[in-house]
Amino acid sequence: MTPTEPPTEPPTEPTTASPTEPPTEMSTEPLLSVRDLSMTFPGRRRAAAPVRAVDGITFDVSAGETLGLVGESGCGKSTTGRLIVRLLEPTAGSVTYDGRDISHLSQRELKPLRRDLQMVFQDPHSSLNPRQTVARIIADPLLVQGTPAAEARARAAELMERVGLIPEHLDRYPHEFSGGQAQRIGIARALATGPRLVVADEPVSALDVSVQAQVVNLMARLQHELGLAYLFIAHDLSVVKRVCDRVAVMYLGRIVEIGPKAQVYAAPAHPYTRALLSAVPVPDPAVERARARVSLLGDPSPDSPLRSRRQVPDRPATHPPGCALRPRCPKAQGICHTDTPTLRPLKPNTAHQAACHFPEAS
């Protein structure tokens, strides 16, 4: 029997047949508040030192806002996302959602909150159960919350149309869809319960560039229609610039710079942020050749306790004082070895902050 040909990726964002909800105004009170959040894992080998993946980070996300969390692989971005939706329990610090501390709630206490907090994963196919139909995959969160099966299926059909897929394909299986379509299914599953906050963990990094643009446009449209707040985790600064209102730059477990997108991209203050932005290619070859590059000095130092776990499998949970970037930073001086920099505003009454003893002047 010849397998069914998978449907092709739609070239443009379709118009949904169902009415859209009005966008939610951004509130002055944060919807999500993260304070001094840390996560330490046991060592991988017997008697190995614990590993600190997230090291005391602090940020807020308002209703209807998109905060981009960027950094190189191994810096703790995905762990941060899993801590926020409570797939992991933090070692220290707090996660407050809508005024309630959810850091150490039991699974039973978390169940009602799962409606409001959802996650979109990086690899669309590995995050979907290959033994379940698309209808069951999308309806599962509703069934867990006690929604009747018929109502859950109707909601799944509505969401298929909303994310640009054909409702008649509900009874197909994940392998019958392309990568971009599978990610749309993952987005539909995340929207099933009507969440207010979605953690998107590199949702387009596994997709082709043309498909990335479609999924990014879809997420932007859904945010406008449903009033969603996003924590958008990525390493592609071009994508972050397209979708985010504010940007937080993470390096080896810590946030080293945070602020409004326009300020961070126009006047990056931290050397690591400047290096990341200078590595983003520019379409104009003449501009690309003429612009100055900001280079860091090699890889994270072998004596850095927060070095990437891909390079040092067991990095200690405690670390000496000083800046974690100092072995690679061309501006490092004596104070960088003795005093740990903290986030502070670059100017009075500004939201643009950097954790650097010698931030770049605007």
Side-chain angles (χ1 to χ4, degrees), residues 47-97:
V51 177
R52 176 166 290 187
V54 179
D55 187 25
I57 63 174
T58 295
F59 61 85
D60 295 327
V61 180
S62 299
E65 180 190 31
T66 300
L67 174 67
L69 187 61
V70 302
E72 61 192 358
S73 297
C75 71
K77 307 184 302 296
S78 295
T79 301
T80 299
R82 283 163 169 76
L83 290 169
I84 288 171
V85 299
R86 278 300 315 277
L87 296 180
L88 297 171
E89 183 169 347
T91 305
S94 65
V95 177
T96 303
Y97 171 75

Side-chain angles (χ1 to χ4, degrees), residues 108-362:
R108 182 176 181 181
E109 292 171 318
L110 281 170
K111 184 177 178 180
L113 291 173
R114 296 294 185 198
R115 288 183 173 273
D116 287 351
L117 296 168
Q118 289 292 326
M119 191 164 186
V120 177
F121 296 93
Q122 179 177 359
D123 188 337
H125 280 294
S126 66
S127 66
L128 304 178
N129 190 333
R131 295 178 175 86
Q132 290 184 345
T133 63
V134 171
R136 179 58 189 268
I137 289 171
I138 298 176
D140 248 355
L142 293 168
L143 298 174
V144 169
Q145 296 288 339
T147 304
E151 183 180 336
R153 184 179 174 88
R155 172 67 172 162
E158 175 194 345
L159 287 168
M160 282 282 282
E161 189 171 5
R162 171 156 269 173
V163 300
L165 297 177
I166 302 174
E168 287 74 14
H169 293 167
L170 275 174
D171 293 319
R172 294 189 176 188
Y173 288 85
H175 73 272
E176 299 181 75
F177 295 87
S178 68
Q181 292 168 328
Q183 192 61 290
R184 290 170 185 262
I185 294 169
I187 293 171
R189 177 179 59 185
L191 297 179
T193 57
R196 299 176 64 193
L197 173 67
V198 174
V199 175
D201 185 10
E202 304 206 37
V204 297
S205 63
L207 308 177
D208 293 338
V209 175
S210 60
V211 182
Q212 285 183 12
Q214 294 177 14
V215 174
V216 165
N217 290 338
L218 170 66
M219 295 185 68
R221 176 171 63 79
L222 291 171
Q223 180 178 37
H224 175 73
E225 293 175 357
L226 305 177
L228 299 170
Y230 288 140
L231 177 65
F232 196 95
I233 299 170
H235 62 266
D236 188 334
L237 291 169
S238 300
V239 173
V240 171
K241 187 176 183 180
R242 164 70 179 84
V243 300
C244 296
D245 303 302
R246 291 188 302 127
V247 180
V249 181
M250 199 168 181
Y251 180 73
L252 295 181
R254 296 177 178 175
I255 291 178
V256 297
E257 186 165 356
I258 187 170
K261 172 181 64 178
Q263 296 179 23
V264 172
Y265 277 80
H270 197 279
Y272 181 65
T273 309
R274 292 173 60 81
L276 288 180
L277 288 173
S278 72
V280 177
V282 176
D284 188 338
V287 176
E288 177 71 19
R289 287 192 299 268
R291 69 177 182 148
R293 293 284 185 178
V294 179
S295 300
L296 299 178
L297 308 176
D299 295 325
S301 169
D303 63 359
S304 172
L306 290 179
R307 193 180 176 195
S308 170
R309 277 184 287 173
R310 295 188 306 167
Q311 299 164 319
V312 178
D314 297 314
R315 62 191 184 203
T318 58
H319 53 83
C323 177
L325 187 67
R326 68 184 183 275
R328 307 176 66 189
C329 181
K331 302 173 67 175
Q333 299 183 26
I335 190 174
C336 303
H337 293 264
T338 58
D339 296 354
T340 303
T342 58
L343 282 172
R344 56 180 182 268
L346 300 176
K347 295 179 181 179
N349 303 319
T350 181
H352 190 185
Q353 303 177 64
C356 181
H357 294 301
F358 305 101
E360 191 74 19
S362 299

Side-chain angles (χ1 to χ4, degrees), residues 7-31:
T8 57
E9 197 73 37
T12 58
E13 294 300 332
T15 306
T16 57
S18 57
T20 60
E21 293 82 353
T24 302
E25 295 294 330
M26 288 176 57
S27 171
T28 55
E29 292 295 324
L31 179 66

Side-chain angles (χ1 to χ4, degrees), residues 32-47:
L32 175 75
S33 182
V34 174
R35 293 292 177 269
D36 300 318
L37 189 65
S38 298
M39 184 66 201
T40 302
F41 293 100
R44 294 185 177 183
R45 296 170 293 181
R46 178 179 293 182

